[in-house]
Amino acid sequence: FLMIRRPPRSTPLYSSAASDVFKRQLLIGVSPVESQERWLAIEGGTVFDGTGALNEEATVLIRGDRIETIGPVGQVDIPAGAERLDATGKFLTPGFVDLHFHYSPSESGTIDGSGTDASPGLPLLFLANGVTTLREMGLWIEDNELWLADIRARGLPTPHLFYSGPILDGTNPAYPSISRVLLDEMDARRVTNELIDQGATSLKVYFRLPLNLIRAVVEEADRRNVPVFAHLEIVDARDAIRVGIDGIEHTRSVGPSLVSPKEGEAYRQGVLLESMHRAPNVGSGPLWAGLDPSGARADALIKLMLERQVALDATLAVYEPAFDEEGADQRWAGVQNMAAFTVRYAQAGGPVTMGSHGLVANAPAGLAYHRELEAHVEAGMTPSEVLQAATRVGAETLRLSDRGTLAHGKLADVVLFDADPLEDISNTRRVHAVVLSGELLDRDQLIASAQQLVP
């Protein structure tokens, strides 16, 4: 097993091929009546539909915000007056679904209190690069809603933004400003329902939350048909899975389950004493560098995850050191073992999804998601498997039945690329155009607007 460390890429950060013919005023939204009057035909491209199937030299016909039909060029009846986009030589996929996104909606905020600047323009950069659905995991719901209102007031489109609300943590939370501290079972049940009532479409339990309160959150969320995802370090992944979590955030979370009980307890106590024991250069790096991702413990955990169909969102790229960082061999060894476990789970049939975390060391702002795709291919997944994880599997994991594939009746979120990602997954950086809910976006204006929001 080898993770390839690549030098910095020469591919331009943003390659927009949208001509003046296709540039238009960006709309905030479209009413149902207007939606039925708009037609867009994307003609001549190779269509990857999200299931692994390909349609070459195809026409994608969009009516309003939905896909009407997909068929061979010349065999699709295109209504008079429809907007037509020549996609000859282009590669089309469903819009990407990012299951683990962080940003700051304010001019001075940070991701997870890390001190890493993640400006309010970051979601717009993601949208310009084909990530049409974002699941934000940590901010207060009102902060997301204020951001959405502000961006729409500027006349700009927004990605489909889903949110979990503040992270649900135990006492002495790692990130107090974005946490809800749950003190007991009654508290856990009350806050779970409160967040769902406010619009949370999933919930995130954090590593200091004890197992009995994770169970209470899961029970209440299940009653409301809302999935629960866990970032674990202290609670053993096997125990959290048995009480019913739907997904695991960060492959790093399962590390203590893959070592001896003695070693796992030492790590657990280190994190209990100081949250930053989780850092790659402190506790988690040596733990992961020294474990066996193909051993008996890994086999047992994969078997349990498969039985419960637990989604795994690896976020590999956020743990990578910079390609040019010296003295990072142990960190790379740890990331390689995380990647190996992730790929083993995917190849066994487990649902693996793609999450960017917002910013990473080895990609410019706006392209962290694409680096995550590359990291999974470098680890052993095929480009087709990764594209499915980035589209269909992600949508299914969030229980979004209206997107993730290109088919009749699905939401018309489409990305066009200048080169084939099946030949080289890094071609996902070569975005030609983005269609959001049936609207062809002006990427140049979107990128410029995002940059203006940077503090």
Side-chain angles (χ1 to χ4, degrees), residues 1-5 251-252 258 280-281 283-294 316 319-322 325 327-342 379:
F1 174 82
L2 174 65
M3 177 172 285
I4 300 172
R5 305 186 198 177
T251 297
R252 188 181 75 175
L258 304 182
N281 59 346
S284 67
L287 181 81
W288 270 97
L291 61 74
D292 182 0
S294 301
L316 298 174
Y319 298 116
E320 292 179 339
E325 182 177 332
D329 290 348
Q330 185 179 72
R331 283 190 62 183
W332 276 115
V335 174
Q336 289 166 3
N337 282 339
M338 293 179 204
F341 179 87
T342 302

Side-chain angles (χ1 to χ4, degrees), residues 56 84 95 332 397:
E56 297 181 350
R84 302 175 79 140
W332 276 115
T397 298

Side-chain angles (χ1 to χ4, degrees), residues 283-314:
S284 67
L287 181 81
W288 270 97
L291 61 74
D292 182 0
S294 301
R297 290 188 176 90
D299 290 344
L301 180 57
I302 287 173
K303 179 181 178 181
L304 177 62
M305 293 171 66
L306 288 171
E307 289 172 356
R308 305 297 179 98
Q309 281 296 286
V310 174
L312 178 61
D313 199 73

Side-chain angles (χ1 to χ4, degrees), residues 248-308:
I248 293 173
E249 300 303 308
H250 316 298
T251 297
R252 188 181 75 175
S253 287
V254 307
S257 304
L258 304 182
V259 296
S260 69
K262 180 180 179 180
E263 190 175 359
E265 178 63 16
Y267 179 79
R268 178 175 181 261
Q269 290 186 25
V271 177
L272 280 167
L273 183 65
E274 172 53 58
S275 292
M276 289 313 296
H277 187 70
R278 304 173 299 125
N281 59 346
V282 182
S284 67
L287 181 81
W288 270 97
L291 61 74
D292 182 0
S294 301
R297 290 188 176 90
D299 290 344
L301 180 57
I302 287 173
K303 179 181 178 181
L304 177 62
M305 293 171 66
L306 288 171
E307 289 172 356
R308 305 297 179 98

Side-chain angles (χ1 to χ4, degrees), residues 345-415:
Y345 186 53
Q347 293 176 342
V352 168
T353 59
M354 296 291 143
S356 70
H357 210 269
L359 295 173
V360 298
N362 294 315
L367 291 175
Y369 190 84
H370 306 69
R371 175 59 205 152
E372 187 70 15
L373 307 188
E374 294 162 3
H376 280 73
V377 171
E378 290 165 11
M381 290 178 68
T382 69
S384 178
E385 290 169 340
V386 167
L387 290 179
Q388 290 178 68
T391 55
R392 175 184 57 82
V393 181
E396 290 173 351
T397 298
L398 292 182
R399 304 180 185 177
L400 300 174
S401 60
D402 64 344
R403 72 199 70 195
T405 58
L406 299 179
H408 171 73
K410 296 289 186 176
L411 191 64
D413 291 346
V414 187
V415 190

